[in-house]
């Protein structure tokens, strides 16, 4: 028998069901597996089939809501989609102790994204740079002709920056097009503009343009969030000191900073998934911003005030949109935005910055006190109980017995479910 081939001509032209059938044959999926994979949940097959290519089914993640968030004096229910237990509970708990003094303060800048145009093959790169700068008004005009709607809304290309960089294949002249993308994430608008401008830059300089693409290091589209947490609300000054030490550790050590920032992104990406954002762009922006000085560090900092309380600040890029992309086509993303009640991309960025700060606080508080495993284990125990067939009150009963015994395992959960339901079935 010939080996299986992944070369399936015109696979993309088949229907979802036809594709699934082919995959099922290839992977010898059972009827039950096919049935599970074929479920598209709350996404219309027609929409799924145009969102990405070669669709064969769906995969549902839980959609949850974090409570207690008071941001800039306004209450928010924050939709979160994530596979990791504890994140939603941690965010809600953190937000509960952040409600004093009007809650978390969060301010986003204008939605300025950067489009890059890479010029190579110029003998006199600094001369070429000057020539490009002299054409600034023309560049902005050409860029803005691509998107009259955005310009009408007050957005569009606003400025340029030109740099000469040294690379291992010689100098390059990199033009940055600064575009106010308003309520969009902006990749489409910016990419179209950079492509339109590129031939002119080649013309004026005699060089060759290769790349024309948005930069995910969105350092002109930042959110800044800050909060004060009172020592008496979180277990006293010792906890404050522990959190400050945890922050200082991460600020000084890239190994720890990566995990510290991962904790921030737990919250941010969960909101990003719920609201249909390009979460890879957010991750890329966050981590490149954290490394902008050449040494990777934290996106947030925690300090102790004179009166013994805790203050936290976060500053990071936040390229999010409320129009275009998956936000527009995925019905759940629209519902998520409605639950949040955000009216602009700026407001969404402000909420997401606040969520990142709260999530970070929750992680540091747990790490600086009891450690994170206890909370994780509680949820893990509940998950195991559900997997073992527990429902209703039985879930917590099974979970708490396993925790007490220190035996948080699936086989034990099964045993307990059997024991506790004996005679009731
Ligand atoms: C786990 O998903 C996130 C944490 O590791 C974050 C941190 O260490 O700060 C708990």
């Amino acid at each position: 028998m010939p080996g299986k081939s992944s070369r399936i001509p015109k696979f993309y032209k088949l229907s979802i069901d036809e594709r699934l059938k082919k995959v099922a044959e290839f992977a010898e999926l059972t009827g039950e597996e096919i049935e599970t994979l074929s479920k598209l949940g709350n996404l219309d097959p027609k929409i799924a089939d145009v969102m990405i290519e070669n669709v064969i089914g769906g995969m549902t993640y839980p959609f949850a809501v974090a409570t207690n968030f008071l941001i800039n004096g306004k209450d928010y229910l924050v939709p979160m989609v994530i596979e990791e237990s504890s994140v939603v509970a941690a965010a809600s708990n953190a937000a509960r102790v952040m409600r004093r003094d009007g809650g978390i303060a969060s301010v986003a800048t204008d939605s300025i994204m950067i489009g890059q145009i890479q010029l190579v093959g110029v003998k006199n790169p600094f001369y070429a740079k000057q020539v490009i700068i002299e054409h600034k008004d023309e560049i902005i005009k050409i860029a803005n002709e691509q998107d009259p709607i955005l310009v009408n809304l007050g957005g569009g290309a606003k400025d340029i920056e030109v740099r000469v960089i040294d690379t291992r294949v010689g100098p390059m002249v990199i033009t940055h097009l600064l575009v106010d993308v308003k309520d969009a994430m902006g990749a489409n608008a910016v990419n179209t503009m950079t492509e339109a401008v590129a031939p002119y830059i080649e013309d004026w300089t005699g060089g060759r343009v290769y790349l024309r693409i948005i930069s995910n290091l969105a350092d002109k589209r930042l959110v800044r969030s800050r909060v004060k947490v009172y020592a008496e609300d979180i277990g006293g000054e010792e906890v404050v000191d522990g959190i400050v030490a945890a922050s200082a550790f991460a600020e000084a050590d890239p190994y720890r900073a990566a995990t510290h920032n991962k904790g921030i992104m737990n919250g941010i990406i969960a909101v990003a998934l719920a609201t249909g954002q390009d979460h890879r762009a957010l991750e890329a922006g966050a981590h490149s911003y954290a490394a902008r000085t050449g040494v990777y560090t934290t996106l947030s900092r925690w300090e102790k005030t004179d009166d013994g309380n805790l203050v936290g600040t976060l500053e990071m890029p936040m390229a999010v949109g409320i129009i275009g992309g998956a936000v527009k086509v995925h019905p759940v993303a629209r519902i998520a935005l409605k639950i949040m009640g955000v009216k602009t991309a700026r407001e969404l960025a402000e909420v997401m910055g606040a969520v990142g700060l709260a999530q970070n606080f929750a992680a540091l508080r747990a790490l600086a006190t009891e450690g994170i495993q206890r909370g994780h284990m509680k949820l893990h125990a509940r998950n195991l109980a559900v997997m073992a067939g527990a429902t209703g009150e039985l879930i917590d009963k099974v979970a708490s017995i396993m925790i007490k015994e220190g035996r948080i395992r699936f086989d034990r959960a099964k045993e307990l479910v059997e024991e506790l339901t004996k005679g009731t079935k």
Side-chain angles (χ1 to χ4, degrees):
M1 201 174 98
K4 296 183 213 172
S5 175
S6 64
R7 171 81 193 107
I8 312 175
K10 306 263 160 55
F11 185 68
Y12 72 98
K13 283 198 167 168
L14 303 177
S15 70
I16 296 179
D17 287 345
E18 287 165 340
R19 281 186 217 122
L20 178 54
K21 209 164 149 235
K22 289 225 182 273
V23 173
E25 279 162 21
F26 186 96
E28 292 168 23
L29 299 182
T30 65
E32 203 181 330
E33 286 164 343
I34 295 170
E35 165 77 13
T36 301
L37 193 51
S38 71
K39 287 190 188 125
L40 271 152
N42 43 31
L43 193 54
D44 185 324
K46 282 201 229 59
I47 295 178
D49 209 20
V50 291
M51 272 179 87
I52 61 169
E53 308 74 35
N54 293 357
V55 174
I56 63 166
M59 179 175 180
T60 310
Y61 273 23
F63 182 113
V65 162
T67 53
N68 304 327
F69 273 90
L70 183 63
I71 304 163
N72 297 334
K74 178 176 165 185
D75 266 283
Y76 290 91
L77 287 176
V78 178
M80 290 182 137
V81 169
I82 191 161
E83 92 298 345
E84 183 176 336
S85 64
S86 302
V87 170
V88 181
S92 305
N93 287 336
R96 192 163 40 82
V97 294
M98 293 180 167
R99 293 183 61 86
R100 290 216 215 170
D101 309 332
I104 305 166
S106 204
V107 183
T109 63
D110 283 342
S111 307
I112 305 287
M113 295 300 286
I114 298 167
Q116 293 196 292
I117 302 164
Q118 174 204 24
L119 182 75
V120 301
V122 279
K123 280 264 152 30
N124 310 295
F126 291 95
Y127 192 79
K129 169 181 166 173
Q130 301 279 64
V131 170
I132 296 170
I133 291 173
E134 277 170 31
H135 286 88
K136 174 180 144 176
D137 292 344
E138 240 174 304
I139 291 173
I140 291 174
K141 185 167 163 279
I142 297 159
N144 283 337
E145 278 164 9
Q146 313 309 311
D147 204 333
I149 296 176
L150 182 61
V151 174
N152 268 342
L153 292 168
K158 299 288 179 192
D159 203 356
I160 65 165
E161 284 170 351
V162 189
R163 292 175 304 136
V164 176
I165 62 165
D166 250 336
T167 82
R168 68 184 171 81
V169 294
M172 296 180 188
V173 186
I174 309 299
T175 303
H176 281 186
L177 191 60
L178 309 187
V179 185
D180 187 342
V181 297
K182 292 282 170 190
D183 280 326
M185 182 274 177
N188 264 333
V190 171
N191 293 341
T192 305
M193 288 180 180
T194 55
E195 289 189 9
V197 167
Y200 292 88
I201 290 188
E202 285 185 330
D203 224 37
W204 296 323
T205 61
R208 164 93 159 87
V209 167
Y210 280 111
L211 271 56
R212 299 141 297 164
I213 187 76
I214 198 162
S215 169
N216 289 126
L217 174 48
D219 63 358
K220 296 187 191 298
R221 191 179 192 179
L222 301 175
V223 62
R224 294 188 177 90
S225 309
R226 67 178 166 83
V227 73
K228 181 168 183 179
V229 184
Y230 289 83
E232 66 191 29
D233 293 337
I234 57 169
E237 227 167 300
E238 211 183 308
V239 178
V240 172
D241 291 336
I243 293 172
V244 171
S247 180
F249 171 20
E251 288 158 38
D253 176 21
Y255 285 92
R256 174 55 206 153
T259 325
H260 177 106
N261 290 340
K262 191 270 185 183
I264 294 172
M265 299 312 282
N266 272 347
I268 289 173
I269 296 300
V271 182
L273 283 167
T275 58
Q277 305 300 318
D278 180 344
H279 48 94
R280 288 85 55 214
L282 291 170
E283 289 280 7
H287 298 294
S288 53
Y289 192 70
R292 69 195 178 284
T293 62
V295 181
Y296 185 88
T297 186
T298 58
L299 297 165
S300 70
R301 289 191 157 72
W302 294 92
E303 300 162 299
K304 188 173 170 176
T305 59
D306 280 344
D307 54 3
N309 295 311
L310 184 70
V311 282
T313 48
L314 172 138
E315 179 186 290
M316 63 182 289
M318 196 61 78
V320 290
I322 59 160
I323 55 167
V327 186
K328 194 165 170 200
V329 291
H330 203 304
V332 178
R334 300 227 63 84
I335 297 168
L337 288 176
K338 188 169 179 186
I339 292 172
M340 264 176 134
V342 293
K343 298 282 181 287
T344 59
R346 182 194 297 262
E347 188 182 358
L348 177 59
E350 289 171 349
V351 172
M352 289 172 73
V355 172
L357 188 61
Q359 201 77 57
N360 179 222
F361 164 81
L364 299 192
R365 180 187 183 185
L367 288 167
T369 54
E370 62 179 18
I372 60 156
Q373 281 312 85
R374 217 180 104 194
H376 269 216
M377 279 304 159
K378 221 179 338 271
L379 278 153
H380 182 52
R382 295 185 87 243
N383 284 344
L384 289 177
V386 172
M387 279 163 61
T391 52
E393 283 172 9
L394 193 59
I395 300 173
D396 279 335
K397 212 164 178 183
V398 170
S400 61
I401 295 174
M402 288 196 295
I403 291 166
K404 220 181 201 159
E405 295 175 345
R407 289 166 71 197
I408 305 172
R409 296 198 318 251
F410 182 63
D411 56 341
R412 182 63 186 140
K414 266 195 103 130
E415 256 172 41
L416 284 168
V417 171
E418 266 159 41
E419 252 172 54
L420 295 168
T421 52
K422 219 183 273 165
T424 61
K425 281 190 180 159

